[in-house]
Amino acid sequence: MAKQAHRKSVGVWHVLRACAVGGAFLLLMAQGNVSLAQGASGLGEEWDKTLALAKKEGSVSVALGSSTQRETRTVWGIFEKKFGIKVVVSGGAGNQVTRRMLAERASGRTEVDMVGLGTASVLTELIPNNLVVPVEPLLFLPEVTDASTWWGGKHWYADPQQKYLLMYTFVPGDTGIGINTNLVDEKTINSYWDVFDPRYDGKRVSGSMNVSSGANTIVAMMVLAGPDWLSRWVKSKPISIPDADLGINYLIEGKAALGMFLSGDLQSLDAIAAKGAPVKRVTKEMKEGQAAGRGNCCFALVANPPHPNAQKILINWIMTKEGQVAMQKDNPRSNSPRDDIPKDMIDSDMLRTPGANYKFMSQLPNYDELLAKAMKIIADAQAEK
């Protein structure tokens, strides 16, 4: 009986061991299958296949506005080093880039994969001419498609359709007013109408009030201060300069007491002031309200790109934690819409207030209508002055 019991126990042991080994084997097989599904990179088969094709394409072409080019200078090198895909960067004013792209389309070719421009150029030229495509269908990394880690639980777009102009920065807006602190006491500027104080006659400076360089500020003033304010600004005969940098110099030198419509260059006042210059960017909320900001804004993906796989890899990487950290790393005034990355390097006035109801003028459904009306008001006022 003892021997039979022993044989039974040994038999049971062999069965259990076989089951354990078999179970372990099945587990390993399952893990192997998961690894295969994840691909060699661990980011999935789609990523690995797309990356392999992107490397064969060899490069990706981005066309950037001047401000975006400055802000993202180091980002492209990081991407190149990580993936071995060359980033060919071209730049220029928004209207220059769009004219080039329209000319290329007319000749039956496309040379740009992605653009990084202010909203006006994309809203008024690229979207109406079907030169860009919706971004979301090209996003596929789980880390990217899960928008729960983004402010407000969604990806942010600067166009009314909410699908073309992907915002890579999301910041509280300023007033659009820059001042020389020796000539203007900021405490006296609490309404947009305060800029018309007679003390500033002959001392106002204005950047170009046109679609390519100032559309969002123009629409913001149309909404916040009204059409009469726009007409009054033109008729106040501000010093009109073609280059926003020149307007900044006027403020520094005291040739102007205050300035508006200086585009993204207005943000440079913070760094200049830190070096001792008597200038300041007015960031407090005005009596009429305050538009939210999107910095130098956005990326848009070009239709029928020359490097479709590299385009897809680039936009997905940009939206990862790593990509967004790179985007804001060297610019303390660029606050990524992602909330799950460090913000300790961001300037305090660029930090978002939890629960705030920020509004973006370029997202207004009647943006084009407002811009058209505003441009007519400006043209009429210029004809009268």
Side-chain angles (χ1 to χ4, degrees), residues 264-278:
D265 294 82
L266 189 67
Q267 293 185 12
S268 67
L269 288 184
D270 299 301
I272 296 169
K275 295 179 180 179

Side-chain angles (χ1 to χ4, degrees), residues 52-105:
L53 291 171
K55 287 184 175 181
K56 288 183 180 179
E57 292 170 350
S59 64
V60 61
S61 176
V62 297
L64 308 174
S66 55
S67 297
T68 304
Q69 193 168 6
R70 284 197 305 271
E71 288 189 355
T72 62
R73 188 173 291 114
T74 63
V75 173
W76 315 119
I78 295 171
F79 179 83
E80 286 183 351
K81 184 177 181 180
K82 185 176 182 69
F83 299 111
I85 301 169
K86 183 174 178 60
V87 182
V88 180
V89 179
S90 59
N95 58 349
Q96 293 175 329
V97 173
T98 53
R99 280 201 303 268
R100 166 192 159 191
M101 292 177 66
L102 287 167
E104 290 171 358
R105 170 66 65 84

Side-chain angles (χ1 to χ4, degrees), residues 206-258:
S206 178
S208 299
M209 297 178 73
N210 57 45
V211 171
S212 63
S213 62
N216 285 320
T217 305
I218 290 169
V219 172
M221 297 314 301
M222 183 78 165
V223 172
L224 294 172
D228 290 344
W229 186 97
L230 276 176
S231 179
R232 175 84 176 270
W233 175 262
V234 174
K235 292 178 180 179
S236 72
K237 298 181 179 180
I239 304 166
S240 181
I241 48 93
D243 188 335
D245 282 337
L246 183 59
I248 298 299
N249 287 335
Y250 272 50
L251 290 175
I252 295 171
E253 296 167 6
K255 292 180 180 179
L258 58 82

Side-chain angles (χ1 to χ4, degrees), residues 280-344:
K280 184 173 177 53
R281 182 173 61 99
V282 180
T283 59
K284 64 184 178 180
E285 184 176 357
M286 292 287 100
K287 177 183 177 181
E288 296 81 8
Q290 188 172 5
R294 76 281 182 283
N296 288 314
C297 190
C298 314
F299 290 126
L301 300 180
V302 179
N304 303 312
H307 312 101
N309 295 287
Q311 179 201 63
K312 197 172 181 181
I313 290 294
L314 179 58
I315 193 62
N316 275 272
W317 175 76
I318 281 175
M319 294 184 71
T320 62
K321 281 186 181 181
E322 182 182 45
Q324 289 294 290
V325 167
M327 289 294 296
Q328 70 173 30
K329 180 179 178 183
D330 295 322
N331 184 3
R333 307 204 65 72
S334 180
N335 187 353
S336 164
R338 286 195 75 127
D339 281 334
D340 60 344
I341 61 175
K343 305 292 183 180
D344 54 316

Side-chain angles (χ1 to χ4, degrees), residues 93-161:
N95 58 349
Q96 293 175 329
V97 173
T98 53
R99 280 201 303 268
R100 166 192 159 191
M101 292 177 66
L102 287 167
E104 290 171 358
R105 170 66 65 84
S107 64
R109 69 185 197 280
T110 305
E111 296 185 0
V112 178
D113 296 289
M114 184 173 81
V115 297
L117 304 172
T119 56
S121 298
V122 179
L123 291 172
T124 61
E125 297 289 347
L126 300 188
I127 293 176
N129 286 289
N130 299 313
L131 285 171
V132 292
V133 296
V135 175
E136 292 290 329
L138 295 176
L139 304 179
F140 63 92
L141 282 178
E143 178 195 343
V144 171
T145 57
D146 176 12
S148 63
T149 58
W150 294 67
W151 195 81
K154 66 176 185 176
H155 298 146
W156 285 85
Y157 293 87
D159 58 284
Q161 298 94 328

